[in-house]
């Protein structure tokens, strides 16, 4: 079944965010809310406005909001008459939801699916009074806030749900909305909230028991143990303390378990401090200063960076080792972490059979919904099951049955296959995500063709090779180019289909060239070596395009500087929806010299060619130069892959994978599509405009300086850029790609030789920020 149009009822936090995600994916949406008193569209307009203004952005491209038709539930329900799926995201109360479904039954087309975004009302209760037909086409779809950014989508089928309906929604959720799907049982809180919120509340209680501060708990429960920086209390501030309280009360009520918040938290809430939305919660920001709540006195004090002995050493370890090692931190810190690990593990083990269909679903739910880098079962494996049992016993808790069933670990490897403990005992294969290629799986299956500390080459099967960057943040350097060279030759010698360039990481495809190395060489005056390094970079990017086989680059997350230049030189790009692509070199006082400047000039000039040829001279060729100049001089960075098309980093023929997990597999498929009739693209010369263009650009630069908008050094950087884009300061002339590449390289080296550029680089390396000197 094909889902072409979707209705969303309830335009609050979740409904408006879900509508924005759908529209971003290119799906027309009908968004409804209750009628307002004076303006019948008051609530829905407010919801849509909120999505438009949301930061981080809810829409992947602003103009996608046009795909949303709005209405109210009193007058406009018939707008849902031609939708294929309705997502209900109204107030978390049984009666209004039931009433809405009764009305939906009257207006929806026969085939339409209905799902609820409820966080906790049992599906069974929601379905009371509904027809069999409705029941067959109903299920739970639990999105997380904000829907664009949190990967998890919990799917809750009921015993009535038609398998075809389940399949349609899962397929759409995965491919079109890009979500990580986990099936959950119809129980309060499903998987992620039940376990995640429980763990948060226990951390609060254990903070009191071990006499720690909020700053200390957040230092112990963040990246140190593989969880987001926001740890326990910053996360609560982001979610809203009122929301946390509501979810906790609901869970306490429906499960009869201890989901209580201490009195002091309730007092903070009563005092109107609900987190970020009220500008105070567990933390408070005043100007640039951040204050932390002292939970004993309920006063705010300047935030302290806790000095916890042993933490710095632990940070050197890999995550699995670190998760085990921190349990031995000295004094109250180790005691807190041991207790937290014991209580959370015990609860997870005891509840899993009741809430999930298997252990991997639990791990995926917490990784995708709460941003943990390792799921609870993976963590227990890292700590060791004997030690886990010991800690649970030491905390005075009962040993859960599931732990007794495990033979040494929850996951095991058997050759290339990954096995997991089945809930009823014994081991079964981990259900792989269909159409997903994971690097660990390639390693386990012995698919490594060659590897070094900087890069890996893998056989993806069907004649496709993968080049993986292994450096921190995907920083590009000689090690990667050497591997690329090897891979290119390997493909030719073995007559393979083509190459994918991609990797797995939470944040970055590549944050660019290795700046520290560049700065060091510049400071040591190694100009010959630098010139060679830049040339190697240029040759490498050019080779991607010129190779006699297709090369598909698969960027995601931060794709900056050199990372963007590699992307620009792919035959085709398969980009993750969340791709932040930017030629940001001017920020460090340089210009793109791995072919980025050349490529935008050629690309934009070629785009204009049909309008500037012999048939007519309507378009001004300078428009292309100006466009490239603006993109590079302003270091434009896309906030999504969709926006990268607008800027010009992506072009016709490039594609988006909404689901990042599928990126490598989609890129491989792309190579296979291109391979049979592939010949490398032919690129001729273009006309460089020379001094005409240079004069125009310099005039613009000068006026920015006059207006005080840029510094003298920025004038210098912009002038070098203008020179390259004009192809020098002579008359108009025909230029090849290498003519411009040579200019790029020269300008880069000149700028690198200036004190101010070196200061910029040093500042960025130290602070991660831009110095506008
Ligand atoms: P919200 O209060 O922000 O928005 C609810 C919206 O529904 C409001 O705009 C309200 O005017 C509208 N509404 C109320 N009654 C209605 C009715 N009878 N018909 C049409 N519209 C009606 O709430 P929310 O946080 O967006 O939550 C919506 C649903 O999603 C709830 O079931 C909630 O449990 C669930 N949920 C929330 C979150 C979260 O983090 N906020 C996460 C997952 C699931």
């Amino acid at each position: 079944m094909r889902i072409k149009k979707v209705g969303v009822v309830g335009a609050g936090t979740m409904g408006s965010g879900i509508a924005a995600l759908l529209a971003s994916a290119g799906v027309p949406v009908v968004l409804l809310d209750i009628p307002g008193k004076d303006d019948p569209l008051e609530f829905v307009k407010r919801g849509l406005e909120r999505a438009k203004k949301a930061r981080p952005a809810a829409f992947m491209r602003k103009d996608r909001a046009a795909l949303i038709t709005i209405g109210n539930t009193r007058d406009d329900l018939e707008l849902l008459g031609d939708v294929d799926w309705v997502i209900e995201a109204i107030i978390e109360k049984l009666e209004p939801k039931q009433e809405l479904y009764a009305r939906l039954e009257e207006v929806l087309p026969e085939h339409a699916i209905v799902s609820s975004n409820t966080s906790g009302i049992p599906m069974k209760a929601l379905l009371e009074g509904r027809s069999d037909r409705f029941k067959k086409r109903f299920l739970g779809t639990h999105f997380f806030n904000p829907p664009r950014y949190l990967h998890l989508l919990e799917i809750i089928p009921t015993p009535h749900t038609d398998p075809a309906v389940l399949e349609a929604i899962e397929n759409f959720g995965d491919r079109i909305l890009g979500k990580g799907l986990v099936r959950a049982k119809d129980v309060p809180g499903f998987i992620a909230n039940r376990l995640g919120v429980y763990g948060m509340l226990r951390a609060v209680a254990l903070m009191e028991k071990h006499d720690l501060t909020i700053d200390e708990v957040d230092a112990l429960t963040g990246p140190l143990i593989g969880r987001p920086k926001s740890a326990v209390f910053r996360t609560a501030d982001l979610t809203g303390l009122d929301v946390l309280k509501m979810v906790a009360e609901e869970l306490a009520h429906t499960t009869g378990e201890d989901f209580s918040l201490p009195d002091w938290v309730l007092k903070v809430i009563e005092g109107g401090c609900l987190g970020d939305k009220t500008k105070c919660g567990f933390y408070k920001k005043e100007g640039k200063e951040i204050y932390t709540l002292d939970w004993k006195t309920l006063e705010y004090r300047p935030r302290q960076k806790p000095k916890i002995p042993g933490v710095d050493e632990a940070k050197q370890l890999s995550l699995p080792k670190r998760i085990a090692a921190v349990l031995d931190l000295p004094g109250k810190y180790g005691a807190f972490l041991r207790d937290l690990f014991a209580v959370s593990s015990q609860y997870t083990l005891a509840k899993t059979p009741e809430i999930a269909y298997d252990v991997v679903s639990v791990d995926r739910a917490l990784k995708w919904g709460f941003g943990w880098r390792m799921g609870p079962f993976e963590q227990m494996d890292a700590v060791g099951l004997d030690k886990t049992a010991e800690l649970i016993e030491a905390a005075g808790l009962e040993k859960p049955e599931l732990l007794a069933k495990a033979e040494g670990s929850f996951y095991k490897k058997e050759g290339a296959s990954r096995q997991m403990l089945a809930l009823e005992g014994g081991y079964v294969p981990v259900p792989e995500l269909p159409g997903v290629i994971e690097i660990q799986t390639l390693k386990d299956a012995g698919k490594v063709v060659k590897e070094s500390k900087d890069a890996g080459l893998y056989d993806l099967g069907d004649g496709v090779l993968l080049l993986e960057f292994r450096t921190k943040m995907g920083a590009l350097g000689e090690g990667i180019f050497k591997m690329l060279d090897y891979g290119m030759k390997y493909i030719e010698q073995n007559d393979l289909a083509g190459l994918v360039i991609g990797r797995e990481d939470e944040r970055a495809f590549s944050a660019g060239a290795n700046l520290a190395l560049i700065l060091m060489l510049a400071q040591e005056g190694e100009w010959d070596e630098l010139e060679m390094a830049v040339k190697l970079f240029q040759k490498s990017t050019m080779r991607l395009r010129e190779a006699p086989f297709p090369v598909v680059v698969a960027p995601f997350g931060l794709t900056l500087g050199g990372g963007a230049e590699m992307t620009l030189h792919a035959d085709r790009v398969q980009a993750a929806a969340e791709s932040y692509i930017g030629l940001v070199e001017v920020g460090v006082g340089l210009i793109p010299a791995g072919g980025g400047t050349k490529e935008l000039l050629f690309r934009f000039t070629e785009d204009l060619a049909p309008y500037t040829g012999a048939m007519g001279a309507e378009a001004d060729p300078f428009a292309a130069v100006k466009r490239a100049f603006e993109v590079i001089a302003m270091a434009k960075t896309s906030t999504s892959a969709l926006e990268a098309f607008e800027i010009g980093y992506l072009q016709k023929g490039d594609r988006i994978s909404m689901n990042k997990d599928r990126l490598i597999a989609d890129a491989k498929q792309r190579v296979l599509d291109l391979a049979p009739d592939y010949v490398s693209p032919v690129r001729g010369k273009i006309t460089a405009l020379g001094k005409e263009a240079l004069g125009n650009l310099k005039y613009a630069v000068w006026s920015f300086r006059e207006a005080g908008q840029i510094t003298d050094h920025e004038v210098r950087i912009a002038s070098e850029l203008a020179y390259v884009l004009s192809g020098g300061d002579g008359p108009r002339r025909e230029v090849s790609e290498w003519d411009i590449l040579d200019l790029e390289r020269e300008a880069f080296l000149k700028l690198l030789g200036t004190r101010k550029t070196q200061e910029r680089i040093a500042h960025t390396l130290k602070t991660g920020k831009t110095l506008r000197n």
Side-chain angles (χ1 to χ4, degrees), residues 12-14 33-34 89-92 97 117 119 142-143 145:
T13 311
M14 294 306 291
D33 205 290
I34 46 173
I90 69 169
I91 187 169
E92 184 72 344
K97 289 192 196 266
N117 192 50
S119 302
H142 189 227
F143 287 84
N145 187 28

Side-chain angles (χ1 to χ4, degrees), residues 82-253:
D82 64 347
V83 301
D84 307 298
W85 176 21
V86 174
I87 304 171
E88 170 273 303
I90 69 169
I91 187 169
E92 184 72 344
K93 286 204 176 122
L94 180 60
E95 295 75 25
K97 289 192 196 266
Q98 285 179 335
E99 276 167 34
L100 174 70
Y101 298 166
R103 293 184 61 212
L104 287 179
E105 255 195 290
E106 288 166 22
V107 296
L108 290 186
E110 285 255 317
H111 73 278
I113 299 169
V114 177
S115 73
S116 176
N117 192 50
T118 178
S119 302
I121 304 177
M123 304 296 142
K124 211 171 137 206
L126 292 174
L127 283 174
E128 267 164 34
R130 296 282 63 76
S131 69
D132 285 347
R133 188 176 66 81
F134 189 95
K135 286 180 183 168
K136 269 190 176 173
R137 312 197 68 78
F138 181 87
L139 72 165
T141 51
H142 189 227
F143 287 84
F144 285 70
N145 187 28
R148 170 174 166 187
Y149 295 97
L150 282 188
H151 192 49
L152 179 62
L153 173 56
E154 285 175 323
I155 300 282
I156 307 100
T158 79
H160 310 284
T161 312
D162 182 342
V165 165
L166 190 60
E167 192 190 317
I169 296 298
E170 289 192 330
N171 193 37
F172 188 89
D174 167 359
R175 305 294 314 222
I176 310 292
L177 299 181
K179 295 291 134 198
L181 304 184
V182 167
R183 274 191 206 176
K185 294 184 181 168
D186 187 8
V187 292
F190 311 122
I191 300 175
N193 277 348
R194 179 76 168 270
L195 301 180
V197 173
Y198 187 84
M200 276 175 91
L201 298 182
R202 295 281 65 79
V204 179
L206 289 170
M207 169 173 79
E208 295 181 16
K209 176 179 165 194
H210 292 285
D211 194 20
L212 299 178
T213 65
I214 285 180
D215 285 329
E216 287 171 331
V217 169
D218 273 1
L220 289 169
T221 56
L224 182 68
I225 57 169
R227 300 194 193 172
K229 258 204 214 130
S230 51
V232 170
F233 290 100
R234 268 293 293 145
T235 301
D237 271 1
L238 287 168
T239 311
L241 273 52
D242 52 337
V243 173
L244 182 65
K245 174 171 172 257
M246 212 175 65
V247 174
E249 280 172 356
E250 185 63 29
L251 283 170
H253 173 71

Side-chain angles (χ1 to χ4, degrees), residues 583 586 629-637 721:
L583 290 173
V586 295
F629 181 79
E630 279 171 3
V631 169
I632 298 171
M634 290 161 70
K636 278 194 192 167
T637 303
L721 174 62

Side-chain angles (χ1 to χ4, degrees), residues 260-277:
S260 57
L261 281 161
D263 285 344
W264 62 268
V265 176
L266 301 178
K267 270 193 202 145
V268 174
I269 296 175
E270 276 159 31
C273 280
L274 307 179
D276 285 18
K277 60 186 163 192

